[in-house]
Amino acid sequence: MKEEVKNLKQEGINPGLAVVIVGDDPASRVYVNSKKKACEEIGIYSEEYALSAKTTQDELLELINMLNEKKDISGILVQLPLPEHIDEEIIINAINPKKDVDAFHPVNVGKIMFGNYDFVPCTPAGVMELIKESGIEVAGKECVIIGRSNIVGKPQAMLLLHENGTVTICHSKTKNLAETVKRADIVVAAVGKPEMITGDMIKEGAVVIDVGINRLENKKLVGDVHFESAEKVASAITPVPGGVGPMTIAMLMKNTVKAARINRES
Ligand code: L34
């Protein structure tokens, strides 16, 4: 990415990322800091807008409108979750789709459904990159996703489908979770329940990707997968921390570079 940013600048394109954080959620603070640091490391200009938890929806909309117009900003990221009194959907809708480096705006979500897209949501994109770089074939494989969020589960299903996987999404109403997971050649766990997927639920040789980030009471960070037991049966597995999380940030950098190109053309 560093090399790519250098080339981009030689073409006279300067990528810039605006990161907006509202309130003082400690986890969000950690992630936002990592995003700013990644920008710095690869030469992307970034601006942080840290707003108080009392910020009104209108004030946030006003900031987004300003950033939509701001010439040196190619990407806008509003860190989620937002405080309760702010409607996330209204905020996401206000972001210029061409600057939507999270790919959360309905225009970008729609493009992902069609399979013709500029931005891919960072976490599912990171999962796909891990699969690809590990030389794992998706075509024809049983892919089981646990979790159906708009940020991970749903777009993850589309990305795996585009690679010709046979995709199943499990959720809280799924009747035979263990049985379904056992079928999977590729498991993507994105539920937010600490260590709920255990080794005995996983087929011998399956690929296990853990998107969950759960902070236990003793401050320990664990995924949705019970690593010690799953590691024994999986042919490949991602750890938490140090797995999908850092990939999410890398994919954000990729989207920001893409945004810089797109916004120069328009
Ligand atoms: N708008 N909101 C928006 N875009 C996103 O893409 C996110 N997400 C999720 C939360 N809200 C968002 C993130 O950035 C989750 N997320 C994220 C990003 C990075 C890491 C985890 C979640 C990460 O770097 N995790 C480290 C551990 C960091 C720690 O100590 O807490 C890891 O190694 O997994």
Side-chain angles (χ1 to χ4, degrees):
M1 290 307 301
K2 200 173 190 170
E3 199 60 30
E4 209 167 321
V5 171
K6 207 169 115 192
N7 294 337
L8 204 63
K9 285 181 178 170
Q10 266 159 11
E11 292 173 47
I13 308 172
N14 273 303
L17 177 68
V19 183
V20 181
I21 174 170
V22 187
D24 38 30
D25 180 73
S28 293
R29 178 35 74 198
V30 171
Y31 307 151
V32 163
N33 285 350
S34 303
K35 290 172 186 187
K36 287 194 304 181
K37 190 162 155 256
C39 284
E40 220 169 278
E41 278 170 11
I42 66 168
I44 292 180
Y45 167 71
S46 76
E47 289 178 350
E48 179 187 288
Y49 295 85
L51 309 181
S52 111
K54 293 199 189 85
T55 303
T56 66
Q57 184 166 298
D58 284 344
E59 284 166 342
L60 184 55
L61 285 171
E62 209 169 296
L63 171 63
I64 290 169
N65 287 334
M66 185 276 281
L67 294 171
N68 281 342
E69 300 300 324
K70 203 166 183 288
K71 289 280 177 269
D72 57 352
I73 290 301
S74 22
I76 302 169
L77 181 143
V78 179
Q79 189 68 22
L80 302 181
L82 289 169
E84 293 251 332
H85 66 277
I86 298 178
D87 185 331
E88 283 181 0
E89 200 176 333
I90 290 175
I91 299 304
I92 289 166
N93 272 295
I95 298 171
N96 177 353
K98 289 183 173 172
K99 294 190 175 187
D100 173 33
V101 285
D102 270 324
F104 290 169
H105 189 285
V107 164
N108 291 319
V109 174
K111 285 184 173 186
I112 291 160
M113 289 287 287
F114 276 95
N116 174 23
Y117 41 81
D118 300 312
F119 302 122
V120 202
C122 302
T123 302
V127 170
M128 297 311 289
E129 193 76 13
L130 284 165
I131 292 174
K132 200 171 136 208
E133 286 294 314
S134 306
I136 293 156
E137 176 82 30
V138 175
K141 296 281 175 64
E142 289 281 349
C143 306
V144 173
I145 300 162
I146 308 128
R148 56 170 153 186
S149 70
N150 289 326
I151 298 184
V152 185
K154 287 189 217 171
Q156 190 72 69
M158 292 313 303
L159 298 186
L160 288 163
L161 184 60
H162 294 327
E163 293 300 322
N164 301 309
T166 302
V167 183
T168 304
I169 305 179
C170 298
H171 46 78
S172 52
K173 296 284 188 294
T174 296
K175 288 215 173 76
N176 42 0
L177 179 71
E179 217 173 280
T180 309
V181 173
K182 196 79 179 193
R183 278 207 319 258
D185 302 306
I186 298 173
V187 180
V188 180
V191 247
K193 286 212 165 79
E195 302 178 318
M196 74 165 283
I197 306 298
T198 47
D200 58 308
M201 298 169 77
I202 292 161
K203 183 167 85 178
E204 184 77 40
V207 171
V208 179
I209 298 169
D210 193 352
V211 178
I213 301 209
N214 310 289
R215 213 167 289 271
L216 302 182
E217 273 177 34
N218 63 6
K219 295 271 156 73
K220 196 184 160 208
L221 214 55
V222 297
D224 291 346
V225 176
H226 185 263
F227 189 87
E228 288 71 24
S229 59
E231 184 190 29
K232 294 194 175 82
V233 278
S235 61
I237 185 165
T238 66
V240 176
V244 174
M247 289 304 293
T248 297
I249 290 165
M251 295 302 109
L252 172 66
M253 298 301 106
K254 212 167 165 175
N255 281 344
T256 304
V257 164
K258 201 159 211 182
R261 288 198 187 280
I262 291 170
N263 289 302
R264 194 206 25 195
E265 286 159 14
S266 60

